Amino acid sequence: MGSETKVYTLAQVSEHNHSKDCWLIIGGKVYDVTKFLEDHPGGDEVLLSATGKDATDDFEDVGHSTSARAMMDEFYVGEVDASTIPSKTKYTPPKQPHYNQDKTSEFVIKLLQFLVPLIILGVAVGIRFYTKSSA
């Protein structure tokens, strides 16, 4: 008789989240990496920060070697029940406020309220200066 594969929930795997007892989920499989923490080339903090979640993306993003992947077999303890892992939420950017045409006209009005008196003042000073110099 072959040995049956143990199946763990995310909650069960999440309990193993410290340096004396560290389990990771990678590719739907559960690994007890406790003995490997001090030998991990990236340091133990990297592994400890990947506990309590599906660490597949973290593992793949680093680009582990073939020998690193082969080494994983000795840490294998079972499978994770995929239904207990929350589905990945796709990033949706925050909604941008709609461009409001009215704000543009408000801005133009304020600008004109400021510029028109300046233009009138400029013209008045110009006329005054022009009439004084020609007299």
Side-chain angles (χ1 to χ4, degrees):
M1 270 207 195
S3 62
E4 286 196 32
T5 304
K6 282 226 177 217
V7 178
Y8 299 95
T9 64
L10 176 62
Q12 288 172 315
V13 177
S14 296
E15 291 171 11
H16 305 269
N17 61 0
H18 50 86
S19 59
K20 302 273 185 253
D21 184 20
C22 181
W23 288 18
L24 298 179
I25 299 168
I26 300 170
K29 296 180 178 182
V30 180
Y31 299 93
D32 179 352
V33 294
T34 311
K35 292 182 179 129
F36 184 62
L37 286 174
E38 56 191 53
D39 296 327
H40 184 250
D44 61 351
E45 335 54 65
V46 178
L47 298 177
L48 290 166
S49 70
T51 61
K53 63 176 183 170
D54 183 344
T56 307
D57 289 343
D58 296 345
F59 180 82
E60 295 299 338
D61 288 349
V62 173
H64 285 86
S65 65
T66 310
S67 59
R69 291 171 187 276
M71 192 186 287
M72 292 169 66
D73 291 342
E74 66 184 271
F75 303 112
Y76 175 80
V77 290
E79 304 284 318
V80 69
D81 179 350
S83 69
T84 65
I85 296 177
S87 59
K88 287 195 177 99
T89 52
K90 189 174 180 278
Y91 174 73
T92 47
K95 294 228 184 297
Q96 295 294 323
H98 289 293
Y99 180 68
N100 189 347
Q101 285 294 125
D102 295 343
K103 285 193 175 169
T104 303
S105 60
E106 261 180 54
F107 174 73
V108 170
I109 289 168
K110 284 188 183 208
L111 189 65
L112 287 175
Q113 284 175 338
F114 177 74
L115 286 179
V116 169
L118 279 181
I119 292 170
I120 293 170
L121 182 65
V123 169
V125 168
I127 290 172
R128 169 114 181 162
F129 181 75
Y130 179 75
T131 54
K132 244 188 181 179
S133 62
S134 62

